[in-house]
Amino acid sequence: MAVGRVLRDRTAGLFLTAVVVSGFGTSAMTLAAGIWVKSLTGSDALAALALFAVWMPVLFGPLLGAVADRLPRKPLLVGANVTLALLMAVLAAVGAEGRVWLLIAVLVLYGCASVLMGSAESAVVAGAVAPGLLGDFNGLRMMANEGMKLVAPLTGAGLCARYGGGAVALLDAVSFALAACLYALLRVRRTARPSPVGPGGWTAGLRQLWGSPVLRPLVLAASATMLCAGLNGASLYAVVDGTLGHSPAYAGVLSVAQGLGSVTVGLFAGALMRRLPGRVFAAAGIAVFGVAVGLRAVPSDAVALTACALIGVGLPCVLIAALTAVQRETPDAVLGRTAATADTLMMSPNAVALGIGAGLVARVDVTVLLPLVGAGAVLTAALLMTGRRGPLAPAGPPVSAEA
């Protein structure tokens, strides 16, 4: 089968292993950073700032993507991981007691490096993986990332509670060092030497997305879907407490259910994308996500767990479809900028919606809010399907039966 073909490929196998290794440390640190700051300062605001510091560089994706396009991709991946390993090792050694500013500064650099690596990774994958297997690869990549989210945050929280944030920083340093070694072993396609300025400047990625009848509807649909996802996420504790009557810790159970759904769709995404047009695959996932969000308003544990699992199945579909389309449709010279710009457009609405949702949850009952958010997602799916932009063609060329 195609998944086996991907895993047997040396480059794909190394790349996925690197994603798992670095993703484990990143997921652990993302949660532990807030816990670390909270334990040092007692401030909820500073703890929230720590999380924001990691995500803020996503807003500057087009600029950072332009940097990625001007540098050789493989050395960039290796160098960024080595740099992060050194930064986290230094942070583990000196600690953050009395130096919260140092921790916040390192987290900002952490986020910048993550955006740079994401841009470089998309370009490397596009050159190293056969077009017909990109859907499989991106699905497996999503599965690896989501799988790490099932275990890494708990590991990070446990280490932080028992030994302090420095232990998590050390774990992260080790994960980045191992990832750097794995990226160094990659065999990547040589491309033309990047120019000092790069074709089209830092806005080239935005023009590439907007001018493509294939990419534009997918990225816009993903942006709208992530806006709904942010509103849905903001309602988590209101559902756990008000609708289901559980303690806040029950949110972890719901998160596991969602993670299992994401792992499942990641495994089968490639096969589905070879049988369905890209926009159909994305729209079907958005529709499943929308229905599941509406179901979260039902006061039942069984329904809530099922809904979270379905959210995990549906939400990644449009992201996988959009990322795969970007890799297939974008010239190599501007692929870093285009991937980073797409990531900014798709992920920024989630952060904005989390803030808006926090205010809405305080004023609107979730039994009203969630069905409305779900209806918005279903409408997004319908608009994606009925739009005339881009061909409704299968998401990639078929692979041979022996694959």
Side-chain angles (χ1 to χ4, degrees):
M1 58 186 298
V3 169
R5 183 175 168 185
V6 171
L7 294 176
R8 285 193 298 270
D9 181 86
R10 179 182 182 276
T11 298
L14 283 172
F15 197 99
L16 285 172
T17 305
V19 167
V20 170
V21 170
S22 64
F24 183 88
T26 299
S27 296
M29 189 63 194
T30 300
L31 176 63
I35 299 174
W36 196 359
V37 171
K38 172 70 174 177
S39 66
L40 292 173
T41 66
S43 170
D44 291 331
L46 287 176
L49 180 62
L51 183 60
F52 177 71
V54 177
W55 287 101
M56 181 187 65
V58 173
L59 301 175
F60 302 95
L63 291 172
L64 293 169
V67 174
D69 275 339
R70 297 174 193 177
L71 298 172
R73 273 75 181 251
K74 177 179 171 179
L76 175 58
L77 286 174
V78 175
N81 277 280
V82 169
T83 300
L84 285 176
L86 292 174
L87 280 174
M88 301 313 292
V90 169
L91 191 59
V94 304
E97 291 73 9
R99 306 183 189 89
V100 173
W101 63 269
L102 175 63
L103 176 56
I104 299 297
V106 169
L107 291 175
V108 171
L109 293 175
Y110 195 105
C112 290
S114 296
V115 175
L116 279 172
M117 289 191 293
S119 302
E121 285 172 356
S122 294
V124 170
V125 168
V129 179
L133 294 174
L134 279 174
D136 294 277
F137 184 89
N138 289 324
L140 290 173
R141 185 180 174 187
M142 176 72 70
M143 183 182 73
N145 281 324
E146 294 300 321
M148 287 303 97
K149 291 177 183 178
L150 293 176
V151 294
L154 293 177
T155 303
L159 280 174
C160 192
R162 181 66 178 85
Y163 300 106
V168 186
L170 185 59
L171 172 67
D172 216 11
V174 172
S175 74
F176 281 123
L178 291 175
C181 294
L182 291 168
Y183 283 127
L185 296 174
L186 287 176
R187 297 170 184 165
V188 300
R189 183 184 63 188
R190 292 186 178 274
T191 56
R193 184 179 180 83
S195 67
V197 178
W202 67 272
T203 60
L206 181 60
R207 292 198 297 274
Q208 174 70 20
L209 290 174
W210 194 254
S212 169
V214 176
L215 300 180
R216 181 171 54 184
L218 281 172
V219 172
L220 289 177
S223 297
T225 303
M226 293 308 292
L227 182 71
C228 294
L231 294 174
N232 173 64
S235 71
L236 174 61
Y237 291 101
V239 169
V240 169
D241 180 23
T243 303
L244 301 177
H246 291 292
S247 69
Y250 192 73
V253 178
L254 298 181
S255 296
V256 169
Q258 182 172 334
L260 291 173
S262 296
V263 168
T264 301
V265 78
L267 184 61
F268 295 102
L272 291 171
M273 291 181 69
R274 281 191 298 278
R275 291 164 174 77
L276 297 174
R279 282 167 58 186
V280 173
F281 173 73
I286 297 170
V288 170
F289 164 75
V291 171
V293 168
L295 288 175
R296 291 184 69 228
V298 177
S300 164
D301 283 3
V303 173
L305 289 169
T306 301
C308 286
L310 289 175
I311 287 172
V313 169
L315 183 58
C317 292
V318 67
L319 301 177
I320 294 172
L323 174 60
T324 302
V326 165
Q327 292 167 340
R328 287 197 179 108
E329 300 290 329
T330 307
D332 180 80
V334 295
L335 183 49
R337 276 163 286 181
T338 305
T341 301
D343 196 47
T344 296
L345 292 175
M346 292 189 294
M347 296 304 173
S348 297
N350 184 62
V352 173
L354 282 170
I356 296 173
L360 286 175
V361 167
R363 293 168 176 81
V364 182
D365 192 279
V366 291
T367 58
V368 176
L369 178 62
L370 289 173
L372 288 176
V373 172
V378 172
L379 177 61
T380 299
L383 291 174
L384 179 60
M385 279 298 300
T386 57
R388 296 183 178 179
R389 296 186 290 268
L392 284 175
V399 295
S400 62
E402 65 190 28

